[in-house]
Amino acid sequence: MALFDYAPAPESRAAAGDIASTYGHFIDGEFVESTGSEALKTVDPSTEEVLAEFAQGTEADVDRAVAAARKAFTSWSALPGAERGKYLFRIARIIQERSRELAVLESIDNGKPIKETRDVDLPLVAAHFFYYAGWADKLEFAGYGSNPRPVGVAAQVIPWNFPLLMLAWKIAPALATGNTVVLKPAETTPLTALRFAEICRQAGLPKGVVNIITGDGRTGAALTAHPEIDKVAFTGSTEVGRAIARTLAGTTKRLSLELGGKAANIVFDDAPVDQAVEGIVDGIFFNQGHVCCAGSRLLVQESVHDDVMDALKRRMSTLRVGDPLDKNTDIGAINSAAQLARIQELTAAGEAEGAERWSPSCELPSAGYWFAPTVFSNVSATHRIAREEIFGPVLSVLTFRTPEEAVAKANNTPYGLSAGIWTEKGSRILWMASKLRAGVVWSNTFNKFDPTSPFGGYKESGYGREGGRHGLEAYLDV
Amino acid sequence: MSEPTTALRLDVYKTYKLFVGGKFPRSESGRVYEVTDRKTGEWLANAPQGTRKDTRDAVSAARKAFGGWSGATAYNRGQILYRAAEMLQGRRDQYVAEVALSEGLTAKKAAPLVDAAVDRLVWYAGWTDKVAQIAGNANPVAGPYFNLSTPEPTGVVGVVAPQGGTGFSLLGLVSVLAPVIATGNTAVVALAPGAPLPGLSLGEVLATSDLPGGVVNLISGRTEDIAPTLASHADVNALDLAGVVAEEGPASARDLEVAAAETLKRVLRPESASHDWTTAPGTDRLLTFLETKTVWHPMGM
């Protein structure tokens, strides 16, 4: 089927608001310059155009931010929960008011399609603040004791794949429970976090309750190793998660980790093929596959393998790759040159190891970082593309014959973040769901998120949960 | 009537052995070490000196047992834990003697500690089919989906048994072990090296309680051999460092946590060495070695 011709429907770049040429940190309620002179650049990954310079946070900057958070903790934690909650409600409302601006800014800085930032990221960001706002004065009913106390100062380090949403997942529960935070956004996507700092000011949030400090892994390492913090919450690679766990070893500091994944999306022979294919596409091509819970391993029952592959390839041929600000775009830009190189390396390994590579013909823009949606068939469980997290729009297809084999293959990974099941048989869904060692199981759907629904992994996908009642625990002294 | 000639009858000593995979092996090393009376320093028994290899064997046994035990009904696990309480009650006098010698107490002071251990098993037996009801959640997501969170056991848990505090040798051990297995995990326990006898004897209780072999594995020996093996073992999912006392070195909390970070094990940090194990446990330990699984399904016609 040929693509319908369509006219570009670009969202206005101007809607992102003014992007400053340089940014400092947000510490103690003020935008401040770094004590160091090193600056990093953030680029629009769809054009490689430099958007802004921002500070590489130094140890002195971290000290200052942690001190501000520590100072603010005394009064913030003493504030009645209802008042803390009202600040969060205010923040949620302002996010809703400014959601178009934030969605456009996020798409520009991250490269993800506007239809995702507009319809997924921003609604979930606002909803997350709303949800935890309501918990702030109800903590004694959450099942964590009659007088749950905050932990203290939380150091929070977030990734670049859902910059503002990950910020919300970190900051909303931390503040609702009475903690103060120092948050470091990823070095390729600092802009929405810095814009969020403005929202904190508009909401009248007391100084020092939220501090945003920018920089790369060096800043993150200084922050997570800081002696005056009480808790670290990290979302990112398993490798860095390990390093943080080692740093905190032997201390009394708390740690929650949301790390990598290599989820199996399992399709049985009785699944409606078209629905399953939608779920497969959502599972791996949503957000360019920059999703820790992406359904990156497709396990198809052998008897329907060819049918599913045919339908999948047909569907992939209709995916529109290109300008993130075009409202028709399904797949945007890869977030960074480094990530693109990683995807290229692993896909090259997939071919070298003998898997069969296929992509629809699609024209990629000449500037920027792009990768066509790709599927590998004839993948064996030992191939790197079946074991390592690619974090890109690349699907590896394996087959199975029996449910037992599907479970064994799905669980044959050190990760355990998510899994998908496609079948019409209810008892099989429940049996499979109970056997899969993964924190989130989507049956006959995929990549659904909600602030009330706990998210987090088994095994080397990390520990602790974000979202829902369970998400409070990471920030309570229980 | 003359006195019975008890002096002519020798007591039959017990050879203390490890408890691994439901069996009672000696250490593969063939080595033992002397266990002495806490108060008098008198020889009590030769305990097996469990090694790194014994520990790895125990992890294999625990892994093998995990599928069955985690898949057993919560009711069944409760029945078995309650059975263990019955068995412990039946051997009360033996444990009173062992606890007294292990902790340097009179029999009179040891007895309530053994009773408390029995009661603690009963407490956890009752928890098995309730924990999902307090740790799970129906989540009201904003869309047409059924969404349910349920707790599942983490997997194989390495436990460093308490080495101090009131009642540590039996009550303390039961207090850290029972919550691990009540929720469906399997365990490999590094027993307190200076007071392993109640723990080694606990294997005899568990072996007669219908507990499947391998669900609990008890290793006596040097903590610095056993605990680091558990911390670095890729097939161990979590550590309870309750009894860690070393300030530094491979059996210190810091080094064990560093080793555990390699496979991102869940780690429960040490209890105070003077912890009073008679205090009510609450649900902290029960809820520690659980993973929350959230299942989504669309609703529609």
Side-chain angles (χ1 to χ4, degrees):
Chain A
M1 191 182 72
L3 279 182
F4 291 113
D5 285 335
Y6 74 104
E11 171 59 283
S12 157
R13 285 182 85 86
D18 291 336
I19 299 174
S21 56
T22 62
Y23 284 94
H25 309 300
F26 179 67
I27 296 174
D28 207 15
E30 306 292 338
F31 290 96
V32 299
E33 286 185 15
S34 171
T35 57
S37 56
E38 190 178 345
L40 305 176
K41 293 182 172 69
T42 182
V43 302
D44 178 339
S46 70
T47 61
E48 298 174 60
E49 172 204 346
V50 174
L51 295 168
E53 289 198 345
F54 61 98
Q56 165 65 32
T58 62
E59 284 187 18
D61 295 338
V62 170
D63 276 344
R64 208 170 147 194
V66 171
R70 172 62 58 200
K71 193 168 125 231
F73 175 68
T74 310
S75 49
W76 180 250
S77 59
L79 205 62
E83 300 306 310
R84 281 201 312 269
K86 277 154 66 183
Y87 281 113
L88 293 176
F89 280 124
R90 274 190 191 175
I91 289 171
R93 271 290 192 244
I94 298 172
I95 287 167
Q96 287 179 321
E97 287 163 5
R98 299 179 64 174
S99 72
R100 183 176 177 211
E101 166 200 346
L102 292 164
V104 176
L105 183 63
E106 191 85 302
S107 279
I108 291 173
D109 201 19
N110 171 281
K112 64 168 73 187
I114 185 69
K115 87 172 177 193
E116 283 176 13
T117 52
R118 181 194 63 200
D119 297 345
V120 180
D121 295 50
L122 263 297
L124 283 173
V125 170
H128 217 83
F129 277 100
F130 258 97
Y131 177 74
Y132 280 107
W135 266 125
D137 57 354
K138 302 167 189 70
L139 297 173
E140 64 269 41
F141 306 108
Y144 299 109
S146 57
N147 183 28
R149 304 296 310 149
V151 175
V153 174
Q156 305 179 316
V157 177
I158 58 171
W160 46 260
N161 57 341
F162 293 92
L164 200 58
L165 182 57
M166 292 300 101
L167 174 149
W169 283 24
K170 295 284 180 286
I171 291 183
L175 264 50
T177 46
N179 301 275
T180 58
V181 308
V182 179
L183 176 132
K184 187 193 89 64
E187 68 268 29
T188 59
T189 54
L191 296 185
T192 47
L194 292 164
R195 197 64 61 89
F196 176 80
E198 281 178 20
I199 292 173
C200 292
R201 283 167 64 115
Q202 287 184 343
L205 192 71
K207 292 175 177 209
V209 171
V210 168
N211 304 276
I212 311 276
I213 185 155
T214 57
D216 62 16
R218 291 168 291 169
T219 309
L223 176 57
T224 54
H226 198 283
E228 290 300 312
I229 58 164
D230 300 296
K231 187 220 158 50
V232 174
F234 172 75
T235 297
S237 74
T238 292
E239 205 42 54
V240 174
R242 276 193 195 104
I244 294 173
R246 282 192 290 265
T247 301
L248 299 197
T251 70
T252 56
K253 295 181 176 117
R254 303 262 302 268
L255 176 60
S256 49
L257 297 171
E258 205 269 88
L259 309 175
K262 192 74 191 176
N265 201 358
I266 304 163
V267 178
F268 284 93
D269 59 6
D270 65 338
V273 172
D274 289 341
Q275 281 180 36
V277 164
E278 286 308 304
I280 294 164
V281 166
D282 237 0
I284 187 62
F285 301 124
F286 172 65
N287 205 41
Q288 296 71 248
H290 300 328
V291 185
C292 44
C293 54
S296 54
R297 285 184 300 153
L298 177 62
L299 302 186
V300 191
Q301 198 154 19
E302 205 173 77
S303 52
V304 291
H305 172 266
D306 293 353
D307 292 346
V308 170
M309 288 303 290
D310 289 347
L312 177 62
K313 287 176 179 177
R314 271 199 308 278
R315 179 67 180 85
M316 284 171 67
S317 302
T318 66
L319 292 171
R320 291 181 163 125
V321 184
D323 182 5
L325 286 188
D326 190 321
K327 292 166 193 166
N328 295 302
T329 294
D330 297 306
I331 298 181
I334 300 301
N335 178 252
S336 66
Q339 186 57 29
L340 181 61
R342 163 92 181 146
I343 297 167
Q344 286 165 339
E345 185 216 327
L346 276 162
T347 47
E351 282 188 276
E353 290 183 319
E356 195 178 304
R357 177 177 183 163
W358 184 87
S359 292
S361 66
C362 70
E363 217 173 291
L364 300 177
S366 51
Y369 315 125
W370 302 94
F371 199 87
T374 299
V375 59
F376 279 97
S377 45
N378 284 326
V379 177
S380 102
T382 57
H383 288 166
R384 283 183 70 194
I385 54 170
R387 291 183 292 115
E388 297 181 33
E389 186 175 42
I390 300 173
F391 222 65
V394 181
L395 179 65
S396 301
V397 184
L398 298 90
T399 59
F400 68 92
R401 290 183 179 176
T402 63
E404 289 83 358
E405 188 189 352
V407 166
K409 283 188 164 165
N411 288 340
N412 181 19
T413 166
Y415 295 119
L417 191 50
S418 65
I421 309 163
W422 297 84
T423 172
E424 288 291 273
K425 193 174 174 191
S427 58
R428 184 190 281 151
I429 289 173
L430 296 178
W431 184 85
M432 291 289 295
S434 76
K435 297 288 174 194
L436 293 168
R437 301 288 289 165
V440 183
V441 178
W442 286 293
S443 31
N444 292 327
T445 185
F446 209 94
N447 269 348
K448 291 290 181 294
F449 308 92
D450 192 274
T452 67
S453 179
F455 184 91
Y458 283 40
K459 301 194 283 185
E460 295 184 25
S461 288
Y463 35 78
R465 291 292 177 270
E466 293 182 296
R469 181 180 68 80
H470 291 82
L472 295 167
E473 187 183 4
Y475 293 97
L476 289 174
D477 186 12
V478 294
Chain B
M1 217 164 88
S2 62
E3 290 286 310
T5 54
T6 47
L8 292 180
R9 188 190 171 275
L10 286 177
D11 277 350
V12 178
Y13 286 168
K14 177 163 82 182
T15 301
Y16 283 90
K17 298 203 221 171
L18 307 177
F19 183 53
V20 176
K23 297 193 162 60
F24 294 93
R26 294 183 163 87
S27 167
E28 59 85 28
S29 67
R31 294 174 70 177
V32 293
Y33 69 100
E34 292 191 2
V35 179
T36 54
D37 184 325
R38 179 91 156 191
K39 214 168 3 185
T40 66
E42 243 173 275
W43 179 86
L44 290 176
N46 296 318
Q49 185 163 315
T51 61
R52 289 186 279 264
K53 173 74 163 70
D54 290 317
T55 308
R56 289 194 299 271
D57 290 346
V59 171
S60 298
R63 173 56 59 193
K64 215 169 134 194
F66 178 68
W69 184 243
S70 60
T73 64
Y75 178 61
N76 181 234
R77 286 201 297 267
Q79 293 271 299
I80 289 170
L81 281 178
Y82 187 80
R83 180 73 177 158
E86 291 177 344
M87 294 297 104
L88 191 56
Q89 180 74 63
R91 293 164 170 254
R92 183 176 181 274
D93 293 348
Q94 172 199 338
Y95 284 97
V96 168
E98 284 177 345
V99 167
L101 294 166
S102 295
E103 300 187 32
L105 303 170
T106 60
K108 201 178 162 195
K109 290 215 162 121
L113 298 174
V114 174
D115 292 342
V118 175
D119 293 351
R120 192 130 306 165
L121 279 171
V122 172
W123 151 266
Y124 282 113
W127 262 119
T128 58
D129 53 4
K130 293 157 195 81
V131 68
Q133 295 182 308
I134 67 156
N137 224 93
N139 306 307
V141 297
Y145 294 92
F146 169 84
N147 180 298
L148 189 71
S149 294
T150 46
E152 291 192 345
T154 296
V156 175
V157 181
V159 178
V160 180
Q163 303 197 24
T166 309
F168 74 97
S169 68
L170 180 67
L171 174 59
L173 170 62
V174 166
S175 300
V176 295
L177 179 59
V180 168
I181 62 171
T183 46
N185 298 284
T186 59
V188 178
V189 184
L191 295 171
L197 301 188
L200 290 169
S201 292
L202 186 66
E204 297 154 23
V205 161
L206 299 173
T208 52
S209 305
D210 288 332
L211 188 78
V215 172
V216 171
N217 304 276
L218 303 162
I219 312 283
S220 57
R222 291 150 35 100
T223 308
E224 55 269 42
D225 288 336
I226 303 165
T229 306
L230 292 171
S232 61
H233 199 299
D235 221 7
V236 172
N237 300 98
L239 293 178
D240 183 343
L241 303 183
V244 165
V245 288
E247 296 285 335
E248 50 191 39
S252 68
R254 191 187 161 279
D255 283 26
L256 292 170
E257 272 196 69
V258 166
E262 196 51 35
T263 54
L264 292 159
K265 293 176 179 68
R266 291 77 174 115
V267 179
L268 188 58
R269 288 177 170 142
E271 277 290 349
S272 147
S274 57
H275 184 73
D276 179 358
W277 292 98
T278 63
T279 54
T283 55
D284 286 1
R285 299 197 108 80
L286 191 69
L287 301 178
T288 297
F289 300 111
L290 292 176
E291 307 292 320
T292 298
K293 174 181 282 177
T294 301
V295 179
W296 293 67
H297 196 281
M299 290 191 283
M301 302 272 281

